[in-house]
């Protein structure tokens, strides 16, 4: 993408750009793996495979042997270059491409029973009359309840080619008989926005779970609705646990908040022409809005590109905890057998010039990094964060930022685990909170579904003590004794808040969960305070370091 290129037209050319990238990947793959790319190393590999095939003591499938060796080969490059087997490629691509073919439900697997939590509006399941609360006990005449199916197996069985049919046997609380539905699979959208709603007067909240092909249009629609329907002029963009996606999508999204000419990101690689920095085109609709970005240790890649552009341009605040630290760019290169390589081709750099990739040098246990952060107390204290003081950069107004290890928040918020008791953890790890919430909603569904919004739903729920007591009885019946979490105020409140959020999810979908959970989420509340106190107004010129 050239400097100063127009992002407003990106929603039109994005599909074309992705198609071009795919064609380029095919070309590159042919170049590297076709006849012209053979060298001494390739010849040695062929020779080894041939010798094994001819001389090994037992018969062996050399194709399987090579298939098993490829992940190890890729692991020797960097932590994010991977081999994707042909059998997994479709599901991997579906996560970012915006749709898949299936029946259109969200489900929980509780006690070997497939419980339908949500029916996707306009989807195949809704068209045949399936309802939230239904239990799937048979799929194509095969009994699945109590058979130990994993959620992966359930998902792969319910999905399938468009226009194919699947027969489902349903148990419903209002019917003594097994109900039978024939569902014709169809295109199901993979949405990127989990929640978008006014969280406080003048403040909109948007939870983004990935940067996929449809994320920009979903994001822009959510922003516009918050402005038009709720008069929001400040926004909290929640990128916690967002592992990234398409780099170009992150650029388009952050462009909406940046003034003309502000740098977004640049990219450098051995065989990739230096690109950038990409600059904002000045046509963003929200250039004057206050903005706060929420990050945690699972925010990576495109999330860090978005946050880095906001922070380095002093455009808004970053609130939460230090991000993952992934500064590498991958390109997917298809292979002839339908598999693919997702290969690192470049590093990206934020506007201040920093690469936030954490080290993966020999001898460094990359996969253990997050556990190491936890062990040294980084989740609870800003002072425990190990900064790379040799990698110092500066924002537009001169604030100090660091490279080589993720995006450091302007306002640090410790992990809210102080009010988690051992009882709560045992119940959580046993899945009892989700099971209780589903059972509660199932027993009161007719009444709860009369609620027009989450506020009305919360008014319908019993008192804190009553809900905690009901859960205590339920947990004990399922082998977990709840004592401390019930008797101590802060433990009981944490337990009840979690139950209410899960109940709201089962009634109103995933957005209902966030509406309730955010009421007591310390990171979200810190973001609201920062906006209300004027700390998020651009340009941010002072280092806050809370």
């Amino acid at each position: 993408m050239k400097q100063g290129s127009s992002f407003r037209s990106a929603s039109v050319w994005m599909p074309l750009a992705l198609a071009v990238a795919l064609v380029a990947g095919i070309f590159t793959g042919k170049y590297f793996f076709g006849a012209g790319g053979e060298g001494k190393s390739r010849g040695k590999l062929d020779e080894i495979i041939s010798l094994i095939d001819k001389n090994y003591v037992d018969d062996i499938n050399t194709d399987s042997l090579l298939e098993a060796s490829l992940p190890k080969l890729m692991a020797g490059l960097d932590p994010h270059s991977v081999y994707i087997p042909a059998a997994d490629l479709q599901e991997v691509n579906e996560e970012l491409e915006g749709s898949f073919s299936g029946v259109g439900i969200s489900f929980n697997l509780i006690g070997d029973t497939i419980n339908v939590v949500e029916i996707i509006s306009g989807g195949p399941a809704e068209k045949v009359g399936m309802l939230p609360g239904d239990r799937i006990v048979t799929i194509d005449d095969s009994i699945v309840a109590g058979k130990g199916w994993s959620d992966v197996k359930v998902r792969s069985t319910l999905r399938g080619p468009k226009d194919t049919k699947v027969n489902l046997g349903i148990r419903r609380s209002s019917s003594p008989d097994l109900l039978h539905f024939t569902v014709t699979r169809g295109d199901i959208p993979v949405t990127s926005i989990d929640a978008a709603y006014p969280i406080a007067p003048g403040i909109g909240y948007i939870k983004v779970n990935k940067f996929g092909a449809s994320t920009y249009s979903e994001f822009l629609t959510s922003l516009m609705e918050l402005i038009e329907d709720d008069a929001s002029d400040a926004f909290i963009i929640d990128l916690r646990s967002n592992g990234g996606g398409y780099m170009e999508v992150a650029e388009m999204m952050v462009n909406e908040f940046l003034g003309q000419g502000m740098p977004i990101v640049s990219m450098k690689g051995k065989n990739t022409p230096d690109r950038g920095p990409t600059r904002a085109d000045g046509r963003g609709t929200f250039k004057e809005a206050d903005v706060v970005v929420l990050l945690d240790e699972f925010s990576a890649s495109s999330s860090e590109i978005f946050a880095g552009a906001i922070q380095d341009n002093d455009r808004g605040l970053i609130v939460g905890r230090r991000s993952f630290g992934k500064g590498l760019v991958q390109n997917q290169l298809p292979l002839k057998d339908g598999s693919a390589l997702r290969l690192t081709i470049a590093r990206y750099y934020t506007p201040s010039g920093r690469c936030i990739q954490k080290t993966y040098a020999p001898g460094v246990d990359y996969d253990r990094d997050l556990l190491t952060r936890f062990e040294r107390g980084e989740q609870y204290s800003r002072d425990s964060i190990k900064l790379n003081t040799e990698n110092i950069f500066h924002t537009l107004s001169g604030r100090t930022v660091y490279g080589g290890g993720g995006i450091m928040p302007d306002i640090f918020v410790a992990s809210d685990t102080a009010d988690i008791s051992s009882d709560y953890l045992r119940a959580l790890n046993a899945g009892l909170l989700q099971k209780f919430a589903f059972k509660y909603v199932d027993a009161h569904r007719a009444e709860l579904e009369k609620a027009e919004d989450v506020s009305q739903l919360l008014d319908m729920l019993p008192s804190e003590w009553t809900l905690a007591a009901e859960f205590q009885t339920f947990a004990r019946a399922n082998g977990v004794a709840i004592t401390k979490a019930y008797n101590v105020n802060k433990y009981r409140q944490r337990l009840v808040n979690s139950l209410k959020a899960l109940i709201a999810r089962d009634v109103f979908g995933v957005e209902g969960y966030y509406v309730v959970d955010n009421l007591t989420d310390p990171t979200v509340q810190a973001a609201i305070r920062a906006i209300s106190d004027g700390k998020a107004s651009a340009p941010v010129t002072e280092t806050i370091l809370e």
Side-chain angles (χ1 to χ4, degrees):
M1 190 179 301
K2 296 180 180 178
Q3 294 184 20
S5 57
S6 172
F7 283 88
R8 178 61 58 187
S9 59
S11 59
V12 176
W13 55 253
M14 185 63 187
L16 177 60
L18 294 177
V20 171
L22 180 60
V23 172
I26 293 173
F27 174 79
T28 309
K30 183 177 181 181
Y31 177 81
F32 281 114
F33 301 104
E38 290 186 6
K40 291 183 180 180
S41 297
R42 172 66 183 270
K44 180 184 288 187
L45 180 60
D46 287 342
E47 185 178 6
I48 291 172
I49 293 294
S50 178
L51 288 172
I52 292 173
D53 190 33
K54 292 178 181 178
N55 299 294
Y56 189 66
V57 61
D58 296 320
D59 290 334
I60 190 168
N61 186 324
T62 53
D63 288 340
S64 298
L65 181 65
L66 181 61
E67 191 82 4
S69 68
L70 286 174
K72 295 181 180 178
L73 174 67
M74 298 300 292
L77 299 175
D78 66 80
H80 300 289
S81 290
V82 295
Y83 168 71
I84 307 172
D88 300 334
L89 187 59
Q90 180 178 348
E91 185 171 352
V92 169
N93 287 340
E94 285 174 349
E95 290 301 315
L96 293 177
E97 287 178 352
S99 69
F100 63 90
S101 182
V103 300
I105 66 169
S106 296
F107 68 89
N108 276 339
L109 196 58
I110 300 177
D112 281 345
T113 300
I114 306 168
N115 300 283
V116 177
V117 175
E118 183 179 6
I119 302 292
I120 295 176
S121 178
E126 182 186 60
K127 292 177 181 177
V128 299
M130 290 182 62
L131 299 173
D134 285 348
R135 293 167 172 79
I136 300 175
V137 295
T138 66
I139 300 178
D140 286 333
D141 299 325
S142 297
I143 297 175
V144 295
K147 297 297 182 181
W149 280 35
S150 67
D151 58 348
V152 174
K153 185 175 181 179
V154 174
R155 186 166 56 249
S156 63
T157 303
L158 292 176
R159 293 182 181 185
K162 184 178 180 179
D163 295 329
T164 58
K165 298 181 185 300
V166 58
N167 297 306
L168 303 179
I170 302 295
R171 287 288 181 194
R172 185 175 292 170
S173 58
S174 61
S175 173
D177 301 320
L178 185 68
L179 305 177
H180 297 277
F181 294 94
T182 298
V183 186
T184 302
R185 296 182 179 97
D187 291 333
I188 308 300
V190 178
T191 58
S192 306
I193 306 299
D194 285 337
Y197 69 97
I199 196 167
I203 303 175
Y205 168 89
I206 302 178
K207 172 67 176 177
V208 186
N209 63 47
K210 68 171 73 69
F211 291 84
S214 64
T215 307
Y216 172 69
S217 60
E218 292 179 52
F219 184 67
L220 189 59
T221 298
S222 297
L223 288 168
M224 294 303 298
E225 289 177 349
L226 285 168
I227 281 184
E228 294 170 1
D229 299 341
D230 304 293
S232 297
D233 56 7
F235 299 95
I236 298 170
I237 312 301
D238 192 345
L239 301 181
R240 290 176 296 175
S241 297
N242 183 327
Y246 293 126
M247 180 177 181
E248 294 88 349
V249 174
E251 294 176 81
M252 290 189 290
M253 289 167 62
V254 77
N255 177 73
E256 292 293 333
F257 298 97
L258 300 179
Q260 184 171 7
M262 284 186 171
I264 297 176
V265 67
S266 57
M267 188 171 71
K268 299 177 183 179
K270 183 186 71 174
N271 293 316
T272 303
D274 289 357
R275 190 206 75 171
T278 303
R279 295 184 181 274
D281 62 9
R283 297 169 64 188
T285 307
F286 311 95
K287 299 189 297 294
E288 305 302 322
D290 289 355
V291 59
V292 172
V293 181
L294 308 187
L295 297 180
D296 65 10
E297 55 272 15
F298 301 107
S299 305
S301 190
S302 294
S303 291
E304 295 170 303
I305 290 174
F306 186 104
I310 293 294
Q311 188 176 56
D312 286 5
N313 286 296
D314 299 309
R315 180 60 188 81
L317 289 178
I318 311 301
V319 175
R321 295 190 295 279
R322 181 163 67 104
S323 64
F324 183 88
K326 180 180 180 291
L328 303 178
V329 181
Q330 285 74 45
N331 190 16
Q332 190 162 298
L333 307 174
L335 303 178
K336 294 177 181 179
D337 67 346
S339 59
L341 297 183
R342 190 164 284 178
L343 187 68
T344 296
I345 60 168
R347 291 179 176 85
Y348 73 76
Y349 298 82
T350 68
S352 65
R354 53 180 168 153
C355 179
I356 52 82
Q357 174 63 44
K358 59 188 178 184
T359 182
Y360 53 90
V364 174
D365 192 343
Y366 190 86
D367 294 333
R368 201 180 185 279
D369 174 68
L370 296 184
L371 180 59
T372 299
R373 296 190 198 184
F374 176 80
E375 289 174 342
R376 65 171 174 247
E378 184 172 321
Q379 284 185 297
Y380 312 106
S381 170
R382 186 186 186 98
D383 294 338
S384 299
I385 299 174
K386 187 178 181 181
L387 298 172
N388 188 341
T389 54
E390 297 179 358
N391 246 338
I392 294 178
F393 298 85
H394 296 92
T395 69
L396 193 63
S397 68
R399 295 186 300 148
T400 298
V401 290
Y402 300 90
I407 301 289
M408 185 71 179
D410 301 303
I411 298 177
F412 174 82
V413 180
S415 178
D416 58 335
T417 57
D419 54 353
I420 294 181
S421 70
S422 56
D423 290 343
Y424 178 93
L425 282 178
R426 285 198 301 272
L428 181 68
N429 292 336
L432 295 185
L433 277 74
Q434 292 88 340
K435 292 177 182 178
F436 174 84
F438 187 87
K439 183 177 180 181
Y440 184 91
V441 171
D442 209 36
H444 302 85
R445 189 174 298 278
E447 176 189 357
L448 296 179
E449 289 186 343
K450 293 177 183 177
E452 295 182 2
D453 54 33
V454 171
S455 179
Q456 285 188 12
L457 174 70
L458 294 178
D459 288 340
M460 293 178 177
L461 299 181
S463 70
E464 179 180 296
W465 278 95
T466 300
L467 197 61
E470 289 185 21
F471 180 76
Q472 183 185 37
T473 301
F474 175 82
R476 186 183 296 113
N478 285 272
V480 177
I482 301 293
T483 54
K484 193 173 185 180
Y486 175 68
N487 292 317
V488 180
N489 280 340
K490 65 177 181 179
Y491 297 143
R492 185 181 64 256
Q493 290 166 359
R494 175 59 177 258
L495 170 65
V496 170
N497 289 340
S498 297
L499 293 174
K500 288 180 177 179
L502 290 168
I503 289 170
R505 184 199 63 181
D506 287 347
V507 176
F508 286 107
V510 66
E511 181 169 287
Y513 175 88
Y514 285 104
V515 171
V516 176
D517 189 63
N518 286 342
L519 294 173
T520 56
D521 185 316
T523 304
V524 172
Q525 295 304 312
I528 294 173
R529 288 195 301 273
I531 292 173
S532 300
D533 294 343
K535 294 179 179 178
S537 298
V540 177
T541 57
E542 296 182 4
T543 301
I544 298 176
L545 297 180
E546 289 187 4

